[in-house]
Amino acid sequence: MRLLRSTDLALRVLMRLAVAGGSSPTTREVAGVMDVPYTHAAKVVAELRHMGLVDARRGRGGGLALSERGRTASVGAVVRAFEGEGDVVDCEGPTPCPLNSACRLRGALRRAQEAFFAALDPLTVADMIADPTGPLLLELSAPGSR
């Protein structure tokens, strides 16, 4: 299974904010550190705010912070929210699969997808920043500021 770029970025943003400590980086700073376009980071941050995982303050002294809910969020729940819980393959699309009425593959792929999510369910964002990841995240800086 391959994650959407937005899912990958959401997890990386949460991890980066989890190690931010007292600082409140802006979306632009996080995008720079993660080396992704600002517009992509802004969309992901907006969704994370909507989910209650990230707090954002505008203006001077503003920035992003991980909410308490974000720190304890299940990685599996975050991945489900960004990936959606649809089927792995689109059997009903514009050209429906001719095996659709007797296919056993779709069910097997669905069970595999759920096993993937279930393996991530017990992990929290806090778990994901344990050594050696957390210290490495603290060392990251925006390109050009190294």
Side-chain angles (χ1 to χ4, degrees):
M1 182 169 175
R2 184 179 192 123
L3 295 179
L4 297 171
R5 286 185 179 152
S6 59
T7 306
D8 174 46
L9 182 55
L11 294 172
R12 291 190 290 147
V13 166
L14 291 172
M15 291 167 59
R16 180 66 175 102
L17 294 177
V19 298
S23 70
S24 296
T26 65
T27 302
R28 192 166 303 282
E29 290 167 343
V30 170
V33 167
M34 297 296 160
D35 198 20
V36 297
Y38 168 76
T39 54
H40 294 186
K43 288 177 187 176
V44 166
V45 166
E47 183 61 26
L48 292 170
R49 284 185 64 210
H50 178 71
M51 294 169 65
L53 304 179
V54 170
D55 295 323
R57 292 185 317 277
R58 290 179 171 250
R60 189 178 183 111
L64 304 173
L66 192 63
S67 69
E68 186 56 38
R69 183 175 176 198
R71 187 167 300 282
T72 61
S74 161
V75 173
V78 173
V79 171
R80 274 186 187 89
F82 275 85
E83 293 290 315
E85 293 197 46
D87 286 328
V88 176
V89 293
D90 184 12
C91 301
E92 307 290 335
T95 308
C97 177
L99 301 176
N100 200 12
S101 64
C103 183
R104 298 177 69 184
L105 180 60
R106 182 168 41 178
L109 290 173
R110 184 71 174 133
R111 287 188 300 277
Q113 180 184 35
E114 187 48 44
F116 174 77
F117 290 145
L120 296 174
D121 282 339
L123 296 171
T124 66
V125 173
D127 294 332
M128 299 305 293
I129 61 165
D131 283 345
T133 306
L136 178 61
L137 281 166
L138 287 172
E139 292 176 13
L140 293 178
S141 59
S145 66
R146 293 180 190 149

